[in-house]
Amino acid sequence: MKKLLWLFIIFASATAVREVVDYFGPMAEAFRAYRDEAHKQALELGKKKSFRHIEGNIVAVSHKLESSERAAEDKVNLVVLEAVHFQKSSERGAFGNRRVAQTRQYVLMIRIDGKWLLSRLEEDATEVVELSDVAESLLE
């Protein structure tokens, strides 16, 4: 009887793990596919129209997943915070100042032929923050 109970517990655990992986796996894959494509495009496009007023060159791009939700078997909704870091070449070094353009993006990713592709992208207004201002407010 104990062996049967242990067999049932192992089967139930394996089934639960499999369902968790099946549920969260596609969302993680979709985010990685979006992050890789968005990072590449941000660096290739350089300073697009919305960033022309920001001084400096792009030195880093990061994407933070705020939320994800499966819309269907092959569709995932993501909310991503994109941060593009700008720095003038004269500000390089330990005490250089950076300007960070943050944009909240609402993304619909669709799986077609085993690949995650961007279907829809909506963005909030871009907010530019000077890191020196953030540091000063933390010290106060």
Side-chain angles (χ1 to χ4, degrees):
M1 187 67 173
K2 284 186 177 183
K3 289 182 181 181
L4 186 60
L5 179 64
W6 278 109
L7 183 64
F8 176 73
I9 290 172
I10 291 171
F11 177 75
S13 299
T15 303
V17 167
R18 175 69 183 187
E19 286 191 22
V20 167
V21 168
D22 286 345
Y23 182 78
F24 289 109
M27 290 187 284
E29 289 175 18
F31 173 65
R32 283 192 300 268
Y34 174 72
R35 181 188 62 204
D36 293 344
E37 184 63 30
H39 186 83
K40 183 174 73 172
Q41 284 192 4
L43 293 176
E44 284 178 1
L45 291 176
K47 292 180 73 168
K48 56 186 178 180
K49 288 183 180 180
S50 60
F51 296 146
R52 293 223 187 271
H53 66 283
I54 304 172
E55 293 183 63
N57 300 315
I58 295 176
V59 293
V61 179
S62 64
H63 294 87
K64 177 184 172 192
L65 181 64
E66 291 189 333
S67 69
S68 61
E69 175 184 347
R70 286 183 80 167
E73 184 68 27
D74 58 350
K75 295 180 181 178
V76 174
N77 290 313
L78 305 172
V79 179
V80 178
L81 184 64
E82 179 183 64
V84 181
H85 296 246
F86 294 87
Q87 190 170 32
K88 291 190 260 183
S89 49
S90 62
E91 295 177 327
R92 303 257 184 223
F95 298 103
N97 188 25
R98 284 190 179 185
R99 283 149 296 287
V100 180
Q102 293 182 334
T103 308
R104 182 165 283 108
Q105 302 171 333
Y106 303 92
V107 181
L108 174 63
M109 298 292 286
I110 295 180
R111 184 189 302 223
I112 298 176
D113 296 331
K115 294 175 96 176
W116 286 100
L117 302 172
L118 177 66
S119 174
R120 182 176 40 110
L121 172 67
E122 297 175 12
E123 296 181 330
D124 286 348
T126 300
E127 178 184 319
V128 179
V129 178
E130 298 247 356
L131 289 185
S132 61
D133 295 343
V134 172
E136 288 173 8
S137 67
L138 292 175
L139 294 175
E140 293 176 349

